[in-house]
């Protein structure tokens, strides 16, 4: 197989499932590909550039087959689908959300989803400035939530500290009664419900901004 940045990035994504992001090294990737580490640097200059290439693949996977809202489809439902697709793509790889966070990805798939989202928000009634500030809120929530969701699997610990039975012992209920009462919800193992709740809050905020415009189109 001819070596290039995409081949290296895909091999790196496969290694994530074995070693996690902290265990991903250029040497390990080279071994996986059966080459010397020096051969990788012709295609990716350093680990950050490798992460950029890996994030490019994950983001492209999250937008496969994505089009603008169908006729009659609520714009909020469409946006929710975008967020769910991104989360699903990141969950496909151990530490997938950490790979995506903070990377610099210049790829048509990224620009396309940005264009579709901004157009959808404008069509809903938001001016471009508000759409441009609103979309990152949804994006950053999705990435941040998924980072925490994957961390709570406890794969980087000898013993998972997020086990429900352990959480119950962490907080002194006499000093912090509200925290003790809520910790089970804050670290709920049902991450699907937690994600949907946060997603609903953000979408409700965007709806409120649309409703505040006299020329809103819902």
């Amino acid at each position: 197989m001819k070596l290039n940045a995409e081949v290296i990035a895909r091999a790196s994504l496969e290694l994530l499932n074995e070693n996690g992001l902290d265990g991903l090294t250029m040497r390990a990737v080279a071994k996986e590909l059966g080459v010397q580490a020096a051969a990788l640097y012709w295609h990716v200059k350093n680990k950050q550039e490798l992460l950029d290439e890996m994030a490019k693949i994950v983001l492209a996977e999250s937008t496969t087959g994505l089009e603008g809202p169908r006729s009659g489809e609520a714009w909020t439902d469409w946006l929710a689908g975008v967020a769910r697709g991104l989360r699903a793509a990141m969950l496909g790889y151990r530490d997938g959300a950490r790979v995506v966070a903070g990377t610099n990805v210049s790829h048509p798939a990224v620009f396309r989803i940005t264009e579709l989202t901004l157009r959808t928000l404008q069509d809903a009634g938001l001016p471009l400035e508000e759409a441009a500030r609103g979309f990152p809120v949804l994006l950053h929530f999705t990435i941040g939530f998924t980072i925490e969701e994957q961390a709570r699997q406890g794969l980087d610990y000898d013993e998972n500290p997020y086990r429900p039975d352990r959480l119950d012992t962490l907080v002194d209920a006499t000093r912090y009664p509200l925290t003790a009462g809520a910790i089970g919800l804050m670290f709920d193992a049902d991450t699907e419900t937690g994600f949907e709740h946060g997603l609903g809050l953000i979408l409700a905020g965007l709806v409120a901004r649309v409703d505040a415009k006299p020329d809103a189109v819902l």
Side-chain angles (χ1 to χ4, degrees):
M1 180 181 297
K2 184 177 179 181
L3 207 61
N4 57 42
E6 182 177 352
V7 167
I8 295 169
R10 290 191 181 279
S12 301
L13 286 169
E14 291 300 320
L15 282 177
L16 276 182
N17 294 325
E18 300 175 19
N19 305 318
L21 185 57
D22 293 335
L24 182 69
T25 65
M26 299 294 271
R27 186 182 299 276
V29 176
K31 181 179 179 180
E32 177 74 8
L33 290 168
V35 299
Q36 296 296 315
L40 303 183
Y41 291 101
W42 286 99
H43 307 281
V44 288
K45 296 178 182 178
N46 49 50
K47 188 173 180 179
Q48 184 57 57
E49 192 166 300
L50 173 60
L51 291 175
D52 291 347
E53 292 294 328
M54 293 164 67
K56 181 189 299 183
I57 292 172
V58 176
L59 291 169
E61 288 178 355
S62 78
T63 62
T64 300
L66 184 69
E67 300 294 342
R70 300 183 303 273
S71 177
E73 181 180 13
W75 62 271
T76 49
D77 290 342
W78 184 87
L79 276 180
V82 170
R84 291 172 188 140
L86 174 57
R87 173 171 170 257
M90 293 187 293
L91 287 175
Y93 303 97
R94 177 178 170 181
D95 292 333
R98 287 180 62 197
V99 168
V100 171
T103 50
N104 179 26
V105 180
S106 299
H107 187 273
V110 176
F111 298 135
R112 182 171 180 273
I113 184 57
T114 302
E115 187 74 13
L116 285 173
T117 303
L118 294 177
R119 182 182 304 157
T120 298
L121 288 170
Q122 273 199 313
D123 289 346
L126 284 179
L128 181 58
E129 180 179 355
E130 288 210 35
R133 294 186 185 279
F135 179 40
V137 173
L138 181 65
L139 183 67
H140 297 162
F141 162 74
T142 303
I143 295 172
F145 183 95
T146 311
I147 288 175
E148 289 296 319
E149 181 178 11
Q150 294 187 307
R152 291 180 200 173
Q153 296 172 9
L155 298 178
D156 293 326
Y157 294 90
D158 293 332
E159 186 176 357
N160 189 351
Y162 297 100
R163 296 192 327 266
D165 61 314
R166 187 174 185 276
L167 289 173
D168 290 340
T169 68
L170 292 179
V171 182
D172 183 348
T174 61
R175 297 184 64 189
Y176 312 110
L178 296 179
T179 303
I183 196 167
L185 292 172
M186 294 168 66
F187 293 92
D188 191 354
D190 183 5
T191 53
E192 196 73 31
T193 296
F195 178 77
E196 290 296 326
H197 182 78
L199 179 59
L201 290 176
I202 291 172
L203 293 175
L206 289 172
V207 169
R209 297 300 298 170
V210 169
D211 286 343
K213 306 296 179 185
D215 56 345
V217 179
L218 289 176

